[in-house]
Amino acid sequence: MTRMEQYPYQPPEPHRRDGSDKGDAHGHGAHEGSRDTAPGHGHAHGHSHSHGPAAPVSQHLRKVIAAILVPFTAAVLVGLVVLWPGSAPSHKRSGVGFDRQTQQATVTRVVEVSCKSVNAAGGAPTGDTSTAGGASAQQQAGGTCKKATVRVDTGKDKGRTFTEIVQPDQTRQLHQGEKVVVAYEPSAPRELQYAVTDVDRKFPMALLAGIFAVAVVVVGRLRGVMALVALAVSFLVLTLFILPAILEGANPLVVAVVGSSAIMLIALYMCHGLSARTSVAVLGTLISLLLIGVLGSLLIGWAALTGNTDDNTGLIHGLYPSIDMSGLLLAGVIIGSLGVLDDVTVTQTSAVWELHEANPSMGWRGLYRAGIRIGRDHIASVVNTLVLAYAGAALPLLLLFSIAQSSVGTVANSELVAEEIVRTLVGSIGLVASVPVTTALAALVVSADRPGPASAAPAGAQPAPARGGRGRRRKR
């Protein structure tokens, strides 16, 4: 058998007459996914590529893992079928916040006018009067304002124009040619039916998403493509199952557990392959999610958190009173922790697997101790990341408390901040626990593996001479 027949993906190159083919020492000849290669048969560098496929485990071990994960997967499928919603229940639009009819529009003309003359003439309301900027704009008495002519580009009133007065102290200033979003209120007088509410950001957002996708594919290649597909599937589960099911009145916690489990199974197996290594990561993630769910449920009830703390949650509760808002808060904690948990469990499982491949004689205690040393660094970085992510999202709120010169105790006791504290700490506890749990599972699995006859060769055995008679290449 020629070398090109053995490794068809390698470019042709001259054979070395001395048989010392250096390239084989780096593991290309001992492909990690090959079932006829015994683990640890001497190709010391062959298992150092963490991006390669995991070495196959014995049939006995696969049966043990399947006995755990198959019933769990079946339960998730049953949950999806039982809880699968129809369309979200309809409601009469309130005209508040996101619950408004909106259309696309273009600013066709902008001229400067005296604010005093505009207000004295009883001009049209300026901007989104439901915001602080819009309210202050109506009270503006002097200065130079902008009078913008806006053309509606979509809907039944396509082509219709209206006038928008922009006060100088408003944060959103309109410019000619700018694409905007306008709110439509059919019950208002004709001249007041439309008002600019936001800027149309579809193009820059789509461009950014495209750059992200290209970067993932260029760097990750096929694995990056699978990651993008898994991301799309996760988004579909969220929008087609989790959100409509909650709106239909299903228990948010049950929906979040079923939906998160489905996302976990799809994303992990799609990105990392159907292997024992991935299955151990799934088990570690599942145990950590259960811990987060139990802790979150206890602490949310103990701290008397209602989940109804701002305008958005108040609007949801007003439109759908049957939704359990505290359950919705807990569902958010579980879903928000899932993405970081995946990263931790996969990394820890891969670390233990690679340690075992490097030293097959190491027992489960040695594997656990070595893996947990890696996990400690991971814990520090991940917890810090999670806390800073929540702090960054709540930065305007924290700034508001700072302006009010409230004490730390007063701030932490308020429900709005207490929610974020519980969300952060419960998620962090789950992340910290996932490291020893997943490391222990992975160490037990790989150390309990029972190699079959084809892989029972001792660690120092020579490769079979049937592979092209090149066994002497190991003699250096």
Side-chain angles (χ1 to χ4, degrees), residues 201-258:
R201 304 180 181 89
K202 288 188 176 62
F203 178 74
M205 299 295 286
L207 180 62
L208 180 61
I211 294 173
F212 164 75
V214 170
V216 169
V217 173
V218 168
V219 177
R221 299 187 180 180
L222 180 60
R223 190 68 62 87
V225 173
M226 298 307 296
L228 291 177
V229 174
L231 178 62
V233 173
S234 301
F235 183 76
L236 288 176
V237 172
L238 182 65
T239 56
L240 298 181
F241 171 71
I242 295 178
L243 299 180
I246 292 175
L247 288 178
E248 280 196 346
N251 187 302
L253 177 58
V254 176
V255 171
V257 169
V258 174

Side-chain angles (χ1 to χ4, degrees), residues 336-416:
S337 302
L338 177 61
V340 188
L341 272 177
D342 288 351
D343 173 57
V344 173
T345 55
V346 168
T347 301
Q348 287 303 117
T349 304
S350 297
V352 173
W353 235 263
E354 294 300 325
L355 288 167
H356 175 70
E357 292 296 314
N359 185 4
S361 63
M362 187 182 296
W364 80 267
R365 288 186 178 86
L367 289 171
Y368 177 80
R369 285 194 294 266
I372 207 69
R373 285 196 295 270
I374 299 172
R376 289 191 185 106
D377 290 336
H378 208 179
I379 288 174
S381 61
V382 168
V383 169
N384 193 47
T385 299
L386 191 64
V387 171
L388 290 179
Y390 282 126
L395 197 58
L397 175 64
L398 298 177
L399 184 61
L400 187 61
F401 279 110
S402 178
I403 293 173
Q405 296 182 349
S406 301
S407 65
V408 175
T410 302
V411 172
N413 188 65
S414 66
E415 184 173 359
L416 197 57

Side-chain angles (χ1 to χ4, degrees), residues 50-356:
S50 61
H51 60 272
V57 297
S58 65
Q59 185 177 7
H60 165 77
L61 188 55
R62 289 199 298 271
K63 288 181 178 179
V64 172
I65 296 174
I68 300 173
L69 287 182
V70 169
F72 169 68
T73 304
V76 172
L77 291 175
V78 171
L80 287 172
V81 172
V82 172
L83 296 174
W84 193 267
S87 58
S90 59
H91 68 276
K92 185 177 180 181
R93 289 188 178 272
S94 64
V96 178
F98 290 105
D99 194 37
R100 292 180 287 188
Q101 298 183 44
T102 58
Q103 302 294 344
Q104 306 299 311
T106 304
V107 180
T108 58
R109 185 166 179 255
V110 177
V111 295
E112 292 187 351
V113 296
S114 169
C115 292
K116 185 176 181 179
S117 63
V118 171
N119 293 334
T126 59
D128 184 4
T129 56
S130 64
T131 66
S136 64
Q138 287 187 320
Q139 300 171 0
Q140 185 75 19
T144 302
C145 296
K146 290 182 179 179
K147 183 178 181 181
T149 302
V150 183
R151 182 189 68 236
V152 180
D153 296 332
T154 58
K156 64 183 182 62
D157 291 330
K158 182 179 179 180
R160 174 178 166 182
T161 60
F162 65 95
T163 300
E164 185 87 8
I165 304 299
V166 183
Q167 303 287 348
D169 63 340
Q170 283 185 239
T171 55
R172 184 186 302 114
Q173 297 292 314
L174 301 180
H175 308 282
Q176 186 170 339
E178 188 174 25
K179 299 292 184 179
V180 294
V181 178
V182 295
Y184 173 63
E185 178 50 60
S187 62
R190 179 176 173 80
E191 65 275 10
L192 304 180
Q193 288 181 337
Y194 285 96
V196 176
T197 59
D198 210 341
V199 175
D200 187 355
R201 304 180 181 89
K202 288 188 176 62
F203 178 74
M205 299 295 286
L207 180 62
L208 180 61
I211 294 173
F212 164 75
V214 170
V216 169
V217 173
V218 168
V219 177
R221 299 187 180 180
L222 180 60
R223 190 68 62 87
V225 173
M226 298 307 296
L228 291 177
V229 174
L231 178 62
V233 173
S234 301
F235 183 76
L236 288 176
V237 172
L238 182 65
T239 56
L240 298 181
F241 171 71
I242 295 178
L243 299 180
I246 292 175
L247 288 178
E248 280 196 346
N251 187 302
L253 177 58
V254 176
V255 171
V257 169
V258 174
S260 297
S261 300
I263 291 173
M264 173 185 65
L265 291 170
I266 294 170
L268 287 179
Y269 283 118
M270 187 172 290
C271 292
H272 304 285
L274 189 63
S275 65
R277 181 193 296 190
T278 307
S279 299
V280 172
V282 169
L283 287 174
T285 305
L286 176 61
I287 293 173
S288 302
L289 280 179
L290 291 176
L291 175 62
I292 290 173
V294 172
L295 282 178
S297 180
L298 292 175
L299 289 173
I300 287 174
W302 190 16
L305 300 177
T306 64
N308 188 5
T309 54
D310 57 22
D311 293 340
N312 292 327
T313 54
L315 179 60
I316 293 172
H317 183 65
L319 295 175
Y320 300 97
S322 61
I323 293 179
D324 179 9
M325 299 303 295
S326 60
L328 187 62
L329 172 62
L330 180 57
V333 173
I334 294 175
I335 295 173
S337 302
L338 177 61
V340 188
L341 272 177
D342 288 351
D343 173 57
V344 173
T345 55
V346 168
T347 301
Q348 287 303 117
T349 304
S350 297
V352 173
W353 235 263
E354 294 300 325
L355 288 167
H356 175 70

